[in-house]
Amino acid sequence: WTCTILFLIVLSLVLLSRAEEGLEFPNFDGKDRVLDINERNYKKALRRYDLLCLFYHEPVPASKGLQKRFQMTELVLELTAQVLENKDIGFGMVDAQRDAKVAQKLGLEEVGSLYVFKDDRIIEFDGELSSDTLVEFLLDVLEDPVEIINNAMELRAFERMEEDIRLIGYFKGEDSYFQAFQEASERFQPYIKFFATFDKSVAKHLSLKMNEVNFYEPFMEEPAILPGRPLTEMDIVEFVHQHRRATLRKLRAENMFEVWEDDMDGIHIVAFAEEEDPDGYEFLEILKDVARDNTNNPYLSIVWIDPDDFPLLTTYWEKTFKVDLFRPQIGVVNVTDADSVWLDMSNDEDLPTAEDLEDWIEDVLSGRVNTEDDDEFADDPENDHYILEESDENPDTDEEDDGDD
Amino acid sequence: WTCTILFLIVLSLVLLSRAEEGLEFPNFDGKDRVLDINERNYKKALRRYDLLCLFYHEPVPASKGLQKRFQMTELVLELTAQVLENKDIGFGMVDAQRDAKVAQKLGLEEVGSLYVFKDDRIIEFDGELSSDTLVEFLLDVLEDPVEIINNAMELRAFERMEEDIRLIGYFKGEDSYFQAFQEASERFQPYIKFFATFDKSVAKHLSLKMNEVNFYEPFMEEPAILPGRPLTEMDIVEFVHQHRRATLRKLRAENMFEVWEDDMDGIHIVAFAEEEDPDGYEFLEILKDVARDNTNNPYLSIVWIDPDDFPLLTTYWEKTFKVDLFRPQIGVVNVTDADSVWLDMSNDEDLPTAEDLEDWIEDVLSGRVNTEDDDEFADDPENDHYILEESDENPDTDEEDDGDD
């Protein structure tokens, strides 16, 4: 485990202005909007804004190079603040050393994280700290945590959101049951979407009974019904905590680090599939089938990454994992050292079937396929993994692979 | 018309590194990869790389502030070069003053543009000059300009690409007719997608005859068949030039400035619709219907902007156009001054019907709805626009709007 360091990139966006008007990206105007938070001003800042967004950072480093990085972080916040100027959002920096007391009072824990204060809640932002991701995130936080579905059009939109975790409840109106649901929703905003309907025909279409709450896992057609009715805030919160690690979950800029940190005993099963690509699309369909068949297996969670969403990471992944991301891939990644093994799908035209994938996943979950490829035999008493022979460069992880060529 | 200025943003992306490995964004490593192109080295650079990517810039300014912006542009290129290091792409800067001769020899025209050299072609990049957009663009340019469709899976992927302009030809094999098609494709790569098939059943599914080429406008179900068979390179090139301004076209980061510059007599009809939003989705469906009904009207082209794709521009647009982008909007924007008028859809639950939209579009095309709202009566002999009364803040542009409330 290395200590937390601030990594940083400049993704400068340069705009060639034209004679035409109407497409001008904001350019930082030099006006200082990000507050230096301290014991004297933090309470006022909390009172003053609808949202307060605080970056909790290590002390400003002495070296010039690291200072430049720090200034870049500030610039991300300044640009975000400028873009959202009319939205009543405050921005500030809290120094982990100089402002240690304030940090403690505010409940800031992870140095290098960004915390958003809304009413009496703290929301940790655990995504790419770029201005565009942050702007979207903050606009989501500003909205109501429960979205009401009033008609068939809104219902269709709800049904199209297959990539998201969604809860939906049917209530008589804004009564105490609805309020319990709303209070639960606040704890997960904006990462988990909460919907409610007061409309009988919407409820009927979703087979929802009065005061019932359904939980839709990503990519699942059938929801889980929360046990008990009516539900308390804590019933809902506990259910979400237990079920939020989906069988198939898409990696997104807005919470990529949160997902990555939520590994399973130090590993992730990672699937790369470009949705716009023919192979990628079909592979994803197969993955969804596998996820639907195994949705009740608590030990299975596949992180789906669409390389199109992360152009800057694609070559890094290709290098780190030694895979070709122009094709779909599935493998096991050890998150402590980024060591990985990948299902060999290189020599045939056909994608693996759902059964092939399930066999491979079983091998992963049983430990027969794993990343400890340097040892011939693992002798770790804590897990009785049996290591198949593997070469470093081209791990032959699929011993049951019957060549069809 | 203002002179060309270099606009710029720093979209710094700061990454909070964790103990977990596997998600590390590249951080500029300080190694200088971008060449300073001059008369002595430009030929060598052209020969050496598969792609050469040159930024044609104004002389480095004297002022510190502008120098900083210039350095940011360089950093975008450096980071792009670093990420694509193993892809055989060269990067360079050409100074419009100091390297004027080289620029002339290379055919660089627009200062502030980025030009990509591939074989004997020049491709102008006319999008957001950010590292991620540029990385994606260059990877697209590296690929073959014609994609071959061999099977039903690839055919389904082709059919899903409704947002793109696509050409597809059916050929016996890589004969001279295919080659003419391929040479035409090179002139439009990567902005217009070219596909070919040698497979009888794929051709049959698309009702393609041998040596026939079909042109799919975005969002259209039926293709246009290119007249004549077999076609020469120039037949295809001319057809694409005549038809590339689609009736409905989506604004994208990769060519946003090119689209914006391609206005219709100084205006754009702009539709804002968030595809993930219920209203936005339905409005877009209506727009597609309108576009399908009017695909043969050469005077109609609607630019569809999904605000989700441009989080940093959303508040700028809301301010400039005085519209609420949480709802779908359609309006006319004058590109010389960003003056605009918008269809009033604020007071009712229902979205306009396709007929309502067509009436409004007719009013726009006839000039009855226009942005010159300061004059009571236009007296411009060049266009006989009759100006309806309009207020600045809430232009009532839809005189036929029968209230249904």
Side-chain angles (χ1 to χ4, degrees):
Chain A
W1 303 91
T2 57
C3 66
T4 305
I5 311 161
L6 204 74
F7 271 81
L8 181 149
I9 290 184
V10 183
L11 250 194
S12 300
L13 176 65
V14 182
L15 284 150
L16 321 169
S17 118
R18 317 286 161 138
E20 287 81 11
E21 301 273 324
L23 278 194
E24 266 141 64
F25 275 77
N27 178 18
F28 176 48
D29 60 10
K31 199 170 144 189
D32 207 9
R33 291 176 182 85
V34 178
L35 306 167
D36 183 3
I37 293 291
N38 55 43
E39 280 207 85
R40 289 186 312 284
N41 66 6
Y42 81 97
K43 280 188 185 159
K44 194 177 152 200
L46 278 174
R47 275 196 309 271
R48 187 168 157 193
Y49 301 100
D50 284 349
L51 292 188
L52 180 65
C53 181
L54 298 182
F55 183 59
Y56 184 44
H57 63 87
E58 293 193 84
V60 182
S63 96
K64 283 259 172 192
L66 291 172
Q67 269 180 25
K68 214 170 170 181
R69 291 184 181 186
F70 180 76
Q71 285 160 7
M72 291 297 174
T73 322
E74 270 188 306
L75 218 53
V76 168
L77 294 181
E78 286 289 4
L79 188 63
T80 307
Q82 176 183 328
V83 166
L84 297 176
E85 195 164 32
N86 58 352
K87 301 280 179 189
D88 203 33
I89 306 178
F91 291 82
M93 309 282 274
V94 180
D95 186 307
Q97 193 175 302
R98 223 181 44 220
D99 308 315
K101 274 190 191 166
V102 179
Q104 209 190 352
K105 281 179 191 158
L106 288 169
L108 311 186
E109 287 174 352
E110 194 173 357
V111 176
S113 266
L114 199 131
Y115 293 90
V116 181
F117 292 79
K118 183 183 181 182
D119 305 326
D120 49 354
R121 285 176 290 140
I122 308 187
I123 302 164
E124 189 176 346
F125 172 76
D126 224 356
E128 255 186 50
L129 196 45
S130 67
S131 292
D132 38 5
T133 304
L134 193 52
V135 165
E136 274 190 283
F137 178 85
L138 292 171
L139 291 177
D140 283 350
V141 174
L142 274 180
E143 293 196 25
D144 287 335
V146 178
E147 206 172 306
I148 308 296
I149 295 188
N150 295 306
N151 54 42
M153 181 172 87
E154 289 165 0
L155 181 58
R156 286 194 296 276
F158 172 82
E159 293 184 313
R160 281 193 303 270
M161 296 178 188
E162 64 155 13
E163 294 175 0
D164 298 289
I165 297 181
R166 291 156 293 158
L167 282 90
I168 182 160
Y170 174 35
F171 304 98
K172 199 170 208 140
E174 301 201 359
D175 55 17
S176 62
Y177 306 126
F178 171 77
Q179 271 158 31
F181 183 73
Q182 190 172 37
E183 270 154 35
S185 75
E186 289 173 354
R187 300 184 180 227
F188 300 103
Q189 196 196 9
Y191 295 116
I192 290 175
K193 292 184 196 289
F194 280 66
F195 296 86
T197 190
F198 309 132
D199 183 286
K200 210 171 157 181
S201 60
V202 169
K204 199 180 159 199
H205 180 94
L206 296 169
S207 314
L208 268 173
K209 300 192 184 90
M210 180 63 72
N211 294 328
E212 194 172 75
V213 174
N214 281 359
F215 178 96
Y216 286 79
E217 203 186 309
F219 310 108
M220 296 301 144
E221 272 143 11
E222 292 303 316
I225 300 169
L226 269 69
R229 184 152 57 94
L231 295 147
T232 66
E233 179 187 350
M234 285 319 294
D235 291 337
I236 300 168
V237 168
E238 267 174 40
F239 189 91
V240 173
H241 277 307
Q242 274 171 34
H243 292 81
R244 73 182 296 184
R245 184 191 284 158
T247 312
L248 179 60
R249 42 186 176 164
K250 186 177 186 181
L251 194 74
R252 286 168 164 166
E254 66 176 39
N255 67 339
M256 55 192 290
F257 298 110
E258 188 196 32
V259 167
W260 202 250
E261 280 175 25
D262 180 35
D263 53 63
M264 317 272 289
D265 286 329
I267 64 148
H268 274 301
I269 297 178
V270 174
F272 286 103
E274 216 178 300
E275 206 171 4
E276 284 198 1
D277 174 71
D279 285 326
Y281 183 88
E282 304 290 332
F283 187 65
L284 189 59
E285 291 299 308
I286 298 165
L287 273 180
K288 287 179 199 170
D289 284 343
V290 170
R292 283 174 198 136
D293 283 352
N294 294 278
T295 181
N296 294 320
N297 182 346
Y299 302 106
L300 179 63
S301 180
I302 302 168
V303 177
W304 163 39
I305 303 180
D306 188 330
D308 274 352
D309 293 340
F310 301 95
L312 292 186
L313 284 177
T314 308
T315 51
Y316 157 77
W317 281 320
E318 288 188 325
K319 217 152 99 182
T320 307
F321 300 143
K322 298 186 187 71
V323 285
D324 170 13
L325 295 187
F326 280 102
R327 296 175 53 90
Q329 302 285 353
I330 189 163
V332 187
V333 176
N334 183 326
V335 297
T336 51
D337 56 7
D339 197 8
S340 62
V341 291
W342 299 86
L343 178 60
D344 186 6
M345 313 191 263
S346 58
N347 63 342
D348 43 33
E349 290 288 300
D350 296 328
L351 292 167
T353 62
E355 291 74 43
D356 294 341
L357 273 188
E358 289 187 25
D359 288 345
W360 178 84
I361 286 168
E362 213 170 90
D363 286 348
V364 171
L365 297 182
S366 72
R368 272 193 294 160
V369 166
N370 68 66
T371 62
E372 305 309 299
D373 56 358
D374 300 324
D375 309 359
E376 281 282 289
F377 293 93
D379 218 21
D380 185 345
E382 287 201 41
N383 48 18
D384 53 1
H385 293 175
Y386 178 74
I387 313 295
L388 299 171
E389 53 173 317
E390 282 174 354
S391 76
D392 258 347
E393 283 299 312
N394 187 13
D396 174 19
T397 59
D398 190 10
E399 63 162 356
E400 278 103 15
D401 187 6
D402 298 308
D404 55 358
D405 42 356
Chain B
W1 302 90
T2 57
C3 66
T4 304
I5 311 163
L6 203 73
F7 272 82
L8 181 150
I9 291 184
V10 183
L11 250 194
S12 298
L13 175 65
V14 181
L15 284 151
L16 322 170
S17 118
R18 320 283 160 143
E20 287 80 12
E21 299 274 322
L23 278 193
E24 267 141 64
F25 275 78
N27 176 19
F28 177 46
D29 60 10
K31 200 170 142 188
D32 207 9
R33 291 176 182 83
V34 178
L35 305 167
D36 182 4
I37 292 292
N38 55 44
E39 279 207 87
R40 288 186 314 283
N41 66 7
Y42 81 97
K43 279 187 184 160
K44 196 179 151 197
L46 278 174
R47 274 196 309 271
R48 187 168 156 192
Y49 301 99
D50 285 349
L51 292 188
L52 181 64
C53 181
L54 297 181
F55 184 60
Y56 184 44
H57 63 88
E58 292 194 84
V60 182
S63 95
K64 284 257 174 193
L66 290 173
Q67 268 180 24
K68 214 171 171 181
R69 291 185 181 188
F70 180 76
Q71 286 159 6
M72 291 296 174
T73 322
E74 271 189 305
L75 219 53
V76 170
L77 294 181
E78 287 289 2
L79 188 63
T80 307
Q82 178 184 328
V83 165
L84 297 176
E85 194 165 30
N86 58 352
K87 301 280 181 190
D88 203 34
I89 306 178
F91 291 84
M93 309 281 276
V94 180
D95 186 306
Q97 193 173 303
R98 222 181 47 217
D99 308 315
K101 272 190 190 168
V102 179
Q104 208 191 352
K105 281 178 189 160
L106 289 169
L108 312 187
E109 287 174 354
E110 194 173 356
V111 175
S113 266
L114 198 131
Y115 293 91
V116 180
F117 292 79
K118 183 185 181 181
D119 306 325
D120 49 354
R121 286 174 289 141
I122 308 186
I123 302 163
E124 190 176 347
F125 173 76
D126 225 356
E128 256 187 54
L129 197 45
S130 67
S131 292
D132 39 4
T133 304
L134 193 52
V135 164
E136 275 192 282
F137 179 85
L138 292 171
L139 290 177
D140 283 350
V141 174
L142 273 180
E143 292 195 27
D144 287 335
V146 178
E147 207 174 305
I148 308 297
I149 294 187
N150 294 306
N151 54 44
M153 181 174 87
E154 290 165 1
L155 181 58
R156 287 195 295 277
F158 172 81
E159 292 183 315
R160 283 193 302 270
M161 297 179 187
E162 66 155 13
E163 294 175 359
D164 298 290
I165 297 181
R166 291 158 291 158
L167 282 91
I168 182 160
Y170 173 35
F171 304 99
K172 199 169 210 143
E174 300 200 2
D175 56 16
S176 62
Y177 305 127
F178 171 76
Q179 272 158 30
F181 183 73
Q182 190 172 36
E183 271 155 33
S185 75
E186 290 173 353
R187 301 185 180 226
F188 301 102
Q189 196 196 6
Y191 295 115
I192 291 176
K193 291 184 197 290
F194 281 66
F195 296 86
T197 190
F198 309 132
D199 184 287
K200 211 171 156 178
S201 60
V202 169
K204 198 180 160 196
H205 181 94
L206 295 169
S207 313
L208 266 174
K209 299 194 185 90
M210 179 63 71
N211 294 326
E212 194 173 75
V213 174
N214 281 0
F215 178 98
Y216 286 80
E217 204 185 309
F219 310 108
M220 297 301 146
E221 272 144 12
E222 291 303 315
I225 300 170
L226 269 71
R229 182 154 57 96
L231 294 148
T232 65
E233 179 187 349
M234 286 318 296
D235 290 338
I236 300 168
V237 169
E238 267 174 37
F239 190 91
V240 173
H241 277 308
Q242 274 170 34
H243 292 82
R244 72 182 298 180
R245 183 192 284 157
T247 311
L248 180 60
R249 41 186 176 166
K250 186 178 187 182
L251 195 73
R252 287 170 164 164
E254 65 175 41
N255 68 338
M256 54 193 289
F257 298 110
E258 187 195 33
V259 166
W260 202 252
E261 281 176 24
D262 180 36
D263 55 63
M264 316 272 292
D265 286 328
I267 65 149
H268 274 302
I269 297 179
V270 174
F272 286 103
E274 216 178 302
E275 206 172 4
E276 284 196 2
D277 174 72
D279 285 326
Y281 184 88
E282 305 290 332
F283 187 65
L284 188 59
E285 291 298 307
I286 298 167
L287 271 180
K288 287 179 198 172
D289 284 344
V290 170
R292 285 176 196 132
D293 284 351
N294 294 277
T295 180
N296 294 321
N297 183 346
Y299 302 107
L300 178 62
S301 180
I302 302 169
V303 178
W304 164 39
I305 303 178
D306 188 329
D308 274 351
D309 295 339
F310 301 97
L312 292 185
L313 284 177
T314 307
T315 50
Y316 157 77
W317 281 321
E318 287 188 326
K319 216 152 101 182
T320 307
F321 300 144
K322 299 184 187 73
V323 285
D324 170 12
L325 296 187
F326 281 101
R327 296 176 50 91
Q329 301 285 354
I330 188 164
V332 187
V333 175
N334 183 326
V335 297
T336 51
D337 56 7
D339 197 7
S340 63
V341 291
W342 300 86
L343 177 60
D344 186 5
M345 314 191 263
S346 58
N347 63 342
D348 42 32
E349 290 289 300
D350 296 328
L351 291 167
T353 62
E355 291 72 45
D356 293 341
L357 272 189
E358 287 186 27
D359 288 346
W360 178 83
I361 285 168
E362 213 172 90
D363 286 347
V364 172
L365 297 182
S366 72
R368 274 194 293 161
V369 166
N370 69 65
T371 62
E372 305 310 301
D373 55 357
D374 300 321
D375 308 0
E376 281 282 292
F377 293 93
D379 218 19
D380 182 346
E382 289 202 39
N383 48 17
D384 53 3
H385 296 173
Y386 179 74
I387 313 297
L388 299 172
E389 54 173 315
E390 282 173 356
S391 78
D392 258 344
E393 284 298 313
N394 187 11
D396 174 20
T397 59
D398 189 10
E399 64 161 0
E400 278 103 13
D401 188 5
D402 298 309
D404 54 357
D405 42 358

